[in-house]
Amino acid sequence: MAMSKAKKNLPEEIIFDILYLLPVKSIGRCRCVSKQWNNFLSDPQFIKSHFTLHDHKQEEKLILATWLSQLHTVTFYENEIDDEIDGISRKLNFEHLSGNWVTVAGSCNGLVLVVDRENIIFLINPTTLKYHKVPVFDLSLPLLGRNNRRSCNMYGFGYDVVSDDYKVVNLSYYDTNHSEYKADTFVDMYSVRKGVWKRLETPYDHSLTDLASGVLVNGVLHWLACRKTEYSTVIAAFDLTDEKFLELPGPIDLGNNCFMCNLAVIRGCLSISTSISRDKNTITFWMMIEYGVKESWTKFKITEPDLDDSLGTLLCSITDDDLLLDVDEELVVYNMREEQRRDLMIDVTPVMYEVRTFRESLLSPSFGNETEG
Amino acid sequence: MSSTKLLTLKTSDGEEFKLDEAVAVKSQAIKNMVEDDCVSNAIPLPNVDSKTMTKVIEYWKKHSEEGVSKDQLNDFDKGFLEVHHSVLYDLLLAANYLNDKELVDVICQEVADRIKGKTPEEIRKEFDIKNDFTPEEEEKIRQENAWAFD
């Protein structure tokens, strides 16, 4: 019997099932194969399903702003040398944008919120280099207001699953310059789907805590803020669906006052950390294992002799066991299981509080308002 | 303990394979036939040749063995899938026809892993796909997806 040399072709459904399994960069290349593949792989439904499928298995990368106002992404690689991790950085260049990037304020589903020197907000996808310029709100505070008061801005970014919408939150106030004047905080929210801003309210005074970006957990943005009544520092939680602020209880150990603390996301949980403790070489942090449940705040300690006399801040987690810390303006990775610290060797100098993690995705930063980038 | 039932499977080239029912029902298609009680004679599998069936049965038997650790299964799978792509596609088509989701998934992942590093031209060749872009269209698509090429 003659052997047939004809290769059996895989049916279309199987090929498409295989395409779902490909990483983001391969999808980009596959779009160039044929018109049919391009249509299939550009379809928003495919992109959404692909993201959901890969979300849990993806590794985190870093995105950061440097002192030269550039944006870089960093991919981690294991180093043969035991106490180092290599980070390979790549500068992001956006078509038609010169960008003086000063803030990396939030990351969600592979999209990142960045702000330039003129306070213009962009939503970017660091993988596909697509971007969406957020229009300026006509009520937003000018950089320099009356009486030469400077405006201060904080941002938050997240996804509202109920309305399938990405939202940007801008908290702003005039710098009080140590005067008696207590600044009002303005809360402005932008809906990407609707393309409009609106002004909302906050019951808190956000001007007395450090400038920080909103920490996103469970569709809620978190900041430390002050109650206007007794001026204790609390966790203010802005729900992206309800579009209003609630207060989240902090760990019992901290009592009613989260003064001099930092918020971060560790292993997907809201966490609060402090370097102020009797032990100088310790960073103590609590993770809210069950969101919203006060009793689920669980205490962890990082004790490292090298932290002695250093200023250490917990930034985020990059794997289940690895935490990223800023120790004296250097990025350090701390493995919780092995209780071992490793220096992150990267070839760029980040502005420490403008370092975020993100995962690769194909998601577009604009909802069908495709034009840019 | 009920006696293990043996099923007979007959491939496209006329060869017959005898297999424990408990193993053969990894194929949802065979399982349905057993439940519908139409297995008195040999089950015909006109879309699978004996060479491919041998490999499928090898996979089923290994994954039905007792006392095999997850690591050992992974090692087995790795070796099992280290075949020429035409063999892989035959396996995939057979697994799909036999409706064995686990085997389909494993092979799909292997095919995906093989595509990962390829250029669009290589992918077209692999799947026998015609390039229906005009040169201008192709240039445009390449530009839009330039981020995927470095």
Side-chain angles (χ1 to χ4, degrees):
Chain A
M1 195 163 86
M3 291 289 282
S4 165
K5 286 234 167 169
K7 183 165 60 171
K8 283 193 216 125
N9 279 331
L10 293 180
E12 199 176 87
E13 324 89 65
I14 297 190
I15 296 186
F16 288 163
D17 278 345
I18 293 172
L19 294 179
Y20 271 105
L21 302 172
L22 292 173
V24 169
K25 286 228 161 119
S26 300
I27 300 284
R29 273 181 248 133
C30 284
R31 284 175 178 163
C32 304
V33 165
S34 77
K35 286 187 183 171
Q36 189 197 37
W37 278 37
N38 185 41
N39 288 338
F40 179 69
L41 298 172
S42 307
D43 185 73
Q45 201 47 52
F46 168 81
I47 291 176
K48 222 172 172 186
S49 307
H50 179 272
F51 174 74
T52 311
L53 182 67
H54 286 257
D55 193 27
H56 304 292
K57 347 180 196 155
Q58 284 251 52
E59 51 171 38
E60 302 278 1
K61 291 179 189 275
L62 287 185
I63 179 167
L64 50 91
T66 65
W67 288 101
L68 295 173
S69 303
Q70 308 281 323
L71 280 180
H72 286 248
T73 58
V74 176
T75 308
F76 298 103
Y77 291 95
E78 286 299 321
N79 198 317
E80 278 99 53
I81 306 172
D82 246 339
D83 53 2
E84 284 172 8
I85 294 189
D86 272 336
I88 310 290
S89 81
R90 213 181 120 234
K91 178 160 164 273
L92 294 184
N93 293 312
F94 296 96
E95 230 183 313
H96 311 311
L97 284 185
S98 51
N100 269 317
W101 307 108
V102 293
T103 301
V104 180
S107 160
C108 178
N109 295 353
L111 300 175
V112 179
L113 176 73
V114 292
V115 187
D116 72 9
R117 211 172 273 294
E118 269 100 58
N119 265 6
I120 308 291
I121 302 169
F122 287 83
L123 292 177
I124 64 170
N125 181 322
T127 314
T128 63
L129 299 178
K130 297 256 180 300
Y131 61 87
H132 169 66
K133 180 174 170 183
V134 173
V136 176
F137 188 27
D138 48 14
L139 290 182
S140 68
L141 303 186
L143 284 171
L144 218 51
R146 269 188 309 168
N147 302 329
N148 266 342
R149 292 203 313 257
R150 200 162 307 167
S151 66
C152 297
N153 287 279
M154 292 187 270
Y155 307 91
F157 170 60
Y159 176 67
D160 170 16
V161 67
V162 171
S163 51
D164 185 27
D165 191 8
Y166 288 91
K167 293 177 177 172
V168 175
V169 176
N170 181 355
L171 302 176
S172 56
Y173 56 88
Y174 284 113
D175 197 359
T176 54
N177 272 337
H178 309 293
S179 69
E180 283 301 303
Y181 172 84
K182 286 203 162 57
D184 272 333
T185 309
F186 298 99
V187 182
D188 299 324
M189 195 194 76
Y190 175 76
S191 146
V192 177
R193 192 180 266 293
K194 296 186 191 148
V196 289
W197 285 94
K198 60 182 176 189
R199 179 149 283 181
L200 302 167
E201 289 184 340
T202 173
Y204 301 106
D205 185 341
H206 296 258
S207 68
L208 300 169
T209 41
D210 286 342
L211 284 178
S213 299
V215 173
L216 178 70
V217 178
N218 261 25
V220 181
L221 287 170
H222 303 81
W223 282 273
L224 291 174
C226 279
R227 278 200 206 128
K228 283 185 186 167
T229 43
E230 12 48 83
Y231 278 95
S232 54
T233 309
V234 295
I235 302 174
F238 183 83
D239 187 304
L240 288 169
T241 308
D242 298 334
E243 297 177 357
K244 57 178 200 252
F245 272 102
L246 290 173
E247 196 172 302
L248 212 61
I252 299 173
D253 290 357
L254 285 178
N256 274 333
N257 211 328
C258 305
F259 190 61
M260 295 286 272
C261 292
N262 287 91
L263 294 177
V265 184
I266 305 292
R267 289 184 200 157
C269 300
L270 181 66
S271 95
I272 185 164
S273 67
T274 173
S275 326
I276 308 295
S277 67
R278 262 170 244 126
D279 318 308
K280 274 209 281 190
N281 53 3
T282 302
I283 293 180
T284 308
F285 69 97
W286 292 261
M287 266 170 60
M288 195 180 223
I289 307 285
E290 252 188 272
Y291 186 76
V293 177
K294 183 177 180 144
E295 293 72 27
S296 74
W297 281 110
T298 308
K299 192 173 181 173
F300 295 88
K301 276 185 195 259
I302 299 173
T303 302
E304 247 284 318
D306 290 342
L307 285 178
D308 202 17
D309 275 346
S310 300
L311 214 51
T313 310
L314 185 58
L315 294 176
C316 58
S317 57
I318 51 182
T319 67
D320 268 352
D321 292 323
D322 287 317
L323 303 177
L324 191 66
L325 302 163
D326 158 15
V327 179
D328 283 342
E329 306 273 314
E330 298 274 318
L331 286 176
V332 165
V333 176
Y334 184 83
N335 187 300
M336 296 231 288
R337 198 144 26 117
E338 287 153 29
E339 294 186 355
Q340 191 207 5
R341 142 205 186 131
R342 287 189 290 177
D343 291 320
L344 181 59
M345 312 299 292
I346 48 175
D347 48 355
V348 280
T349 311
V351 176
M352 282 303 156
Y353 35 91
E354 309 301 347
V355 177
R356 309 248 162 257
T357 56
F358 76 98
R359 292 179 183 159
E360 290 187 336
S361 88
L362 296 160
L363 289 166
S364 163
S366 29
F367 274 118
N369 315 324
E370 252 349 291
T371 53
E372 307 107 336
Chain B
M1 189 91 161
S2 64
S3 60
T4 39
K5 191 165 171 216
L6 277 182
L7 292 182
T8 308
L9 312 171
K10 189 166 174 178
T11 55
S12 58
D13 43 354
E15 212 177 297
E16 289 195 351
F17 293 84
K18 283 199 173 14
L19 195 57
D20 276 345
E21 179 182 307
V23 172
V25 293
K26 276 183 179 296
S27 152
Q28 188 65 41
I30 294 179
K31 187 163 188 248
N32 292 343
M33 280 193 244
V34 166
E35 282 166 3
D36 290 345
D37 212 16
C38 26
V39 294
S40 45
N41 300 319
I43 299 176
L45 302 171
N47 284 19
V48 188
D49 64 30
S50 55
K51 181 164 159 248
T52 310
M53 194 70 230
T54 309
K55 283 222 61 132
V56 172
I57 291 180
E58 182 193 334
Y59 183 86
W60 283 349
K61 281 191 171 161
K62 188 73 186 182
H63 280 253
S64 303
E65 251 176 53
E66 305 230 329
V68 180
S69 76
K70 201 156 180 271
D71 279 341
Q72 285 173 317
L73 273 184
N74 281 341
D75 283 340
F76 168 82
D77 284 356
K78 251 209 276 181
F80 179 81
L81 295 165
E82 234 167 70
V83 291
H84 189 260
H85 65 231
S86 59
V87 177
L88 207 57
Y89 294 164
D90 284 342
L91 266 173
L92 184 49
L93 287 166
N96 188 48
Y97 171 74
L98 292 165
N99 199 344
D100 176 355
K101 187 174 184 315
E102 187 193 310
L103 184 54
V104 167
D105 285 347
V106 161
I107 303 177
C108 279
Q109 186 61 59
E110 173 65 26
V111 176
D113 290 343
R114 292 189 192 191
I115 298 181
K116 273 184 204 167
K118 290 188 157 55
T119 64
E121 188 47 58
E122 288 166 340
I123 297 172
R124 277 185 213 123
K125 207 154 156 259
E126 184 75 16
F127 292 105
D128 214 3
I129 296 177
K130 188 171 178 313
N131 179 3
D132 56 351
F133 290 119
T134 66
E136 298 81 38
E137 286 170 338
E138 185 161 5
E139 179 60 34
K140 182 162 174 281
I141 291 280
R142 284 270 182 157
Q143 283 257 44
E144 275 174 18
N145 293 289
W147 54 271
F149 283 90
D150 48 31

